[in-house]
Amino acid sequence: MIENEKENLSAVQKIIVDAGYTGEKFASEIKTIINANVEVIKRNELHTFVVLPKRWIVERSFAWLEKYRRLWKNCERKLNTSLQMVVLSFISVLLKRF
């Protein structure tokens, strides 16, 4: 996926991933393809609730997008149209905050 969209990802400097992407091979491939660093955010091994730094940003963003019914089911014919629906949803979220 990243290989196919490397032109659109040229400004990305850091990719935040969960523990499923731990490994030097993944990080080196990302570095080779788009010259970005990979930061792995791991959960605490204890089974207690702890807010993980930076991971809550992604979870919060997904929660905001779940409020938009059009994004629940992908009924668009083109990938670019789906991308624009996500962008419009984020714009709507930002406008409601001000």
Side-chain angles (χ1 to χ4, degrees):
M1 174 189 78
I2 292 175
E3 180 72 39
N4 292 338
E5 294 297 323
K6 64 182 172 183
E7 298 86 26
N8 296 328
L9 299 172
S10 61
V12 174
Q13 296 176 356
K14 184 185 289 188
I15 297 178
I16 299 173
V17 296
D18 65 2
Y21 295 94
T22 303
E24 198 58 41
K25 183 177 179 184
F26 178 75
S28 65
E29 286 294 319
I30 295 296
K31 188 72 168 174
T32 303
I33 296 171
I34 60 172
N35 197 26
N37 296 323
V38 174
E39 182 178 343
V40 179
I41 306 295
K42 292 185 180 181
R43 277 192 242 176
N44 190 353
E45 297 302 321
L46 302 174
H47 296 290
T48 58
F49 177 76
V50 177
V51 177
L52 300 173
K54 298 182 184 174
R55 186 172 175 148
W56 68 271
I57 297 169
V58 176
E59 300 296 334
R60 177 198 61 198
S61 301
F62 285 147
W64 287 342
L65 290 178
E66 285 180 1
K67 295 179 182 177
Y68 293 91
R69 191 173 65 93
R70 185 141 185 194
L71 300 177
W72 288 357
K73 185 176 181 183
N74 189 10
C75 56
E76 310 299 337
R77 291 181 187 249
K78 296 185 177 183
L79 182 61
N80 195 28
T81 307
S82 295
L83 174 64
Q84 294 306 317
M85 288 298 127
V86 172
V87 170
L88 287 173
S89 300
F90 270 122
I91 290 171
S92 176
V93 167
L94 290 173
L95 289 175
K96 288 179 183 178
R97 300 229 173 254
F98 292 106

